Amino acid sequence: MGIQVDWIDQMRPAVMQFCEETLSTIPKHPADTWSNIGPIIAGVWIVVRARQRALPLQTIGYASIAAGVFSGVYHATNTYVGEVMDIAGMYAFIFACASVQLYRDKTLSSLEATLLAATLAVVGTVLAAYSDLAKTPLFAVVLIVVAYNEITAESVKNYRYAYAALGAFAVAFTFWVLDYSRCLCDPQNHVLTGHGVWHLLCGVAFYLTYRQFATSVTPRQAADDAAPPN
């Protein structure tokens, strides 16, 4: 089903282990690896749609691609390095969303907001490499803060995509929990697992998130941001 890579087998294994059994070849978890195509496809589509929009909006697409690729590495190798990369992708995405909020509210310029998002993603990743609290718990806190800021923002008039994204993420997280707790579990299923459904639905949630921000950041803002000062 895969290939043998001895040096990967010698690396520190991932701490978090989901339902799918670990194979001796690469990919270690086939179903949990290929299903990351969801965030990657969503990210490519976002980049295409946002190519004439403000930089923070484009960053959501690139962060979605990174989240899919990094998670794919994690599940393909079952290494701790891959696990940290997976967290890095999630931090990149959520801070990309925060950067759009800062740009939209004119707190920071397009470039400043993007650079801040990248910096915070790196900081979150470094913390996650040394502390489990900086993994899922801290990410959940950041997610709640960003979601709350979006739903309560005075500049946002339409919440349809926000609610749809949160709904998709809630369903996705349900599959994550069911898989991780072994409540929905067939270890020898290497086609589509509960965790794989989480990946695919995250792709849907990522795209809906982009649509939410795209409705509140006008093309005029992007044009003004790119224009030289008078």
Side-chain angles (χ1 to χ4, degrees):
M1 183 177 291
I3 58 175
Q4 189 76 39
V5 182
D6 293 337
W7 63 270
I8 289 180
D9 292 336
Q10 296 170 4
M11 295 178 68
R12 177 183 175 184
V15 175
M16 297 189 69
Q17 298 293 329
F18 295 91
C19 170
E20 187 177 8
E21 70 175 346
T22 303
L23 303 181
S24 60
T25 55
I26 304 296
K28 299 293 187 180
H29 304 127
D32 290 349
T33 299
W34 81 259
S35 52
N36 283 287
I37 193 69
I40 294 173
I41 291 175
V44 170
W45 185 233
I46 291 169
V47 169
V48 170
R49 294 200 60 162
R51 62 185 182 277
Q52 300 300 326
R53 307 295 297 273
L55 182 59
L57 280 172
Q58 298 175 37
T59 303
I60 291 180
Y62 291 117
S64 182
I65 294 172
V69 172
F70 291 170
S71 180
V73 171
Y74 166 32
H75 293 290
T77 64
N78 192 40
T79 59
Y80 187 71
V81 171
E83 184 176 342
V84 174
M85 289 176 63
D86 181 42
I87 296 297
M90 296 301 291
Y91 272 128
F93 183 82
I94 198 63
F95 282 124
C97 294
S99 74
V100 177
Q101 294 174 332
L102 292 171
Y103 167 70
R104 181 187 60 205
D105 298 338
K106 299 181 180 179
T107 303
L108 298 175
S109 70
S110 177
L111 181 59
E112 289 171 341
T114 302
L115 290 176
L116 178 61
T119 300
L120 291 176
V122 171
V123 171
T125 301
V126 172
L127 292 175
Y130 294 98
S131 173
D132 289 341
L133 291 177
K135 295 178 181 177
T136 303
L138 180 58
F139 174 80
V141 171
V142 177
L143 172 64
I144 291 171
V145 171
V146 172
Y148 177 81
N149 287 341
E150 186 65 17
I151 293 174
T152 59
E154 294 182 359
S155 59
V156 180
K157 307 302 180 183
N158 188 336
Y159 300 98
R160 178 179 60 178
Y161 290 113
Y163 293 137
L166 288 173
F169 189 81
V171 175
F173 188 66
T174 299
F175 278 96
W176 188 100
V177 172
L178 290 173
D179 185 279
Y180 187 69
S181 64
R182 274 47 177 189
C183 292
L184 179 65
C185 180
D186 178 3
Q188 295 183 335
N189 174 13
H190 299 296
V191 178
L192 181 61
T193 63
H195 195 73
V197 174
W198 149 265
H199 291 151
L200 295 172
L201 289 179
C202 275
V204 175
F206 288 173
Y207 177 71
L208 291 171
T209 299
Y210 162 75
R211 291 298 302 271
Q212 169 62 29
F213 288 117
T215 60
S216 59
V217 177
T218 66
R220 176 65 180 174
Q221 279 184 282
D224 291 344
D225 190 68
N230 293 327

